[in-house]
Amino acid sequence: MVQLPCHEDVTDARDLLVATLAEHGVDAAVDDAGNVLATRTASGESAGAAGPHVVLNTHLDTVSPDVPFERDRDATVEGETGVDVIHGRGACDAKGPLAALVGGFLSADVGRGRLTLAITPDEEVLSLGAAALTGRLPGTEDALEGDLFLVGEPTGLDVCTAAKGRFEGTVELAGENAHAAEFAGVNAVAAAEDALAAIRTFDAEADEHPQLGPPKLTPTVVEGGGATNQVPDRCAITVDRRSVPPESAGGFRDALEADVRAAVDDAVGVAVSLTERDSPFLEAFATDPDHRLPRTLREAIAGTRPEATDAERGAGARPFSAATEASYFAPAPTVVFGPGDLADGDGAVAHADREYVRVREVEWATAAVERALSRLLSPEGA
């Protein structure tokens, strides 16, 4: 899978996934949004047994540019020698996690309920595939209706039970032009001073989320003015928002506009708009770390740990540091999990030229997913 470039087109990777599933006796469908969907249900005496619908999700696409495939069976990684690794774009984000989910999907014992593999085509861009799957686009309905979701991303085999959301918006300040020599007009650029103060104190009274900590609001771009001898009538401040539950994109916009409006002079117009997207923003999500889904997965990770593995790997539950399509599956219990790292002790890994994944951790993750799914879908339940 890593040998197939997926930074511009995922067709070849999608065809390989469908063919691989067919080789193992599983028919997969590709929907209008480009998602690959396959389902397994209980058979024999267990057929029709009530149980949860567990959904496994990750994505086929990668960021640009492509990084060629290479397998190094004697690599040195973070001071450890003789490590079998696969290098290449998508090795950890997210083809290593994809391999683990597919392996677990094919080998798990489905004693009750239903198991669905839902692989999306465009997570690195707009997540239109996931948005369509979950009924978040106009004219679509929730095609999954899942009870439990396991999302594959590079987590170092930790079980990630929460992630901040990311919104982007613009604070527009409107004034009135005048000659800079005159005491006239309304200076929109000068009003940015008060607007930035309101942005800086926006979260002063915000409660910290038990898993994610405080939200964060960052002004990132300021644009305004034109002629150097003219009172400017416009200033725009772009902001990056990292949200925590239960904040929504709309609720954030309304609250920020109210705070900025209260901070600037009444003569200045204020409007806050969210950046236009073809799909909904990825909002924050959080699952109770003691819920049976993360608990069962953590037990499976511990129970399949290879010998001589760093005890810090796959060690616990934590938040995931990046936004993912897990956002679209909440509030159903959702976890993010997989082999590989966004970054290691030597620097960036995912989205970087040195992207890699340890082969033994792909195998470990596969075994852990199989064990966790078999328990969640056993006739006795978890």
Side-chain angles (χ1 to χ4, degrees):
M1 187 63 81
V2 178
Q3 296 180 63
L4 301 176
C6 293
H7 58 298
E8 295 177 344
D9 188 346
V10 301
T11 301
D12 290 344
R14 185 162 48 214
D15 290 346
L16 174 59
L17 174 58
V18 171
T20 300
L21 293 169
E23 289 174 3
H24 290 81
V26 177
D27 291 330
V30 179
D31 67 12
D32 292 340
N35 300 298
V36 177
L37 297 169
T39 298
R40 294 183 58 209
T41 56
S43 60
E45 295 181 0
S46 299
H53 180 197
V54 181
V55 178
L56 309 178
N57 160 262
T58 191
H59 57 97
L60 292 170
D61 63 319
T62 62
V63 297
S64 295
D66 190 50
V67 175
F69 164 86
E70 179 187 2
R71 183 161 184 176
D72 185 348
R73 299 176 186 273
D74 191 27
T76 298
V77 178
E78 296 186 289
E80 182 183 2
T81 59
V83 183
D84 187 4
V85 302
I86 288 176
H87 290 276
R89 178 64 78 227
C92 71
D93 190 10
K95 295 177 180 181
L98 170 65
L101 294 186
V102 171
F105 171 81
L106 291 171
S107 56
D109 292 328
V110 182
R112 62 180 186 131
R114 185 160 42 125
L115 178 61
T116 292
L117 188 70
I119 308 301
T120 58
D122 63 340
E123 189 265 359
E124 299 289 4
V125 191
L126 286 175
S127 297
L128 293 173
L133 265 182
T134 53
R136 296 173 183 266
L137 295 182
T140 65
E141 298 180 353
D142 186 352
L144 296 174
E145 296 183 342
D147 299 309
L148 306 171
F149 290 85
L150 197 167
V151 177
E153 293 284 351
T155 70
L157 285 91
D158 286 341
V159 178
C160 295
T161 55
K164 289 184 177 180
R166 180 181 183 269
F167 313 141
E168 183 181 292
T170 303
V171 179
E172 294 273 2
L173 304 173
E176 181 182 347
N177 286 141
H179 197 292
E182 298 296 322
F183 291 95
V186 178
N187 194 319
V189 169
E193 180 180 7
D194 291 331
L196 287 168
I199 290 169
R200 185 170 58 252
T201 60
F202 182 71
D203 292 314
E205 298 181 3
D207 294 330
E208 291 198 11
H209 187 272
Q211 295 186 65
L212 295 169
K216 190 172 187 292
L217 180 61
T218 305
T220 55
V221 178
V222 178
E223 298 176 302
T228 58
N229 60 350
Q230 181 186 52
V231 173
D233 69 344
R234 177 189 173 276
C235 185
I237 304 170
T238 302
V239 294
D240 176 283
R241 178 60 165 173
R242 303 297 164 142
S243 64
V244 302
E247 183 178 78
S248 67
F252 160 68
R253 192 214 71 82
D254 293 347
L256 180 59
E257 183 171 282
D259 276 22
V260 174
R261 174 68 276 168
V264 304
D265 190 276
D266 290 343
V268 178
V270 174
V272 175
S273 61
L274 296 175
T275 302
E276 291 188 6
R277 288 170 51 101
D278 293 329
S279 59
F281 282 100
L282 298 174
E283 298 192 352
F285 83 93
T287 297
D288 183 349
D290 292 326
H291 184 277
R292 64 179 178 135
L293 172 62
R295 187 183 71 245
T296 301
L297 182 55
R298 288 183 67 190
E299 291 170 353
I301 295 165
T304 55
R305 179 182 292 275
E307 293 184 6
T309 301
D310 183 348
E312 295 299 316
R313 305 291 289 179
R318 62 173 174 87
F320 192 58
S321 59
T324 77
E325 290 177 341
S327 164
Y328 289 161
F329 307 128
T334 302
V335 298
V336 181
F337 165 79
D341 302 276
L342 294 178
D344 64 13
D346 297 322
V349 178
H351 296 192
D353 290 347
R354 60 187 290 265
E355 184 166 352
Y356 72 91
V357 69
R358 296 169 174 88
V359 173
R360 73 181 181 211
E361 291 197 356
V362 177
E363 297 169 344
W364 179 11
T366 304
V369 170
E370 175 187 357
R371 180 175 293 197
L373 293 175
S374 296
R375 185 175 179 190
L376 290 166
L377 296 170
S378 71
E380 296 78 22

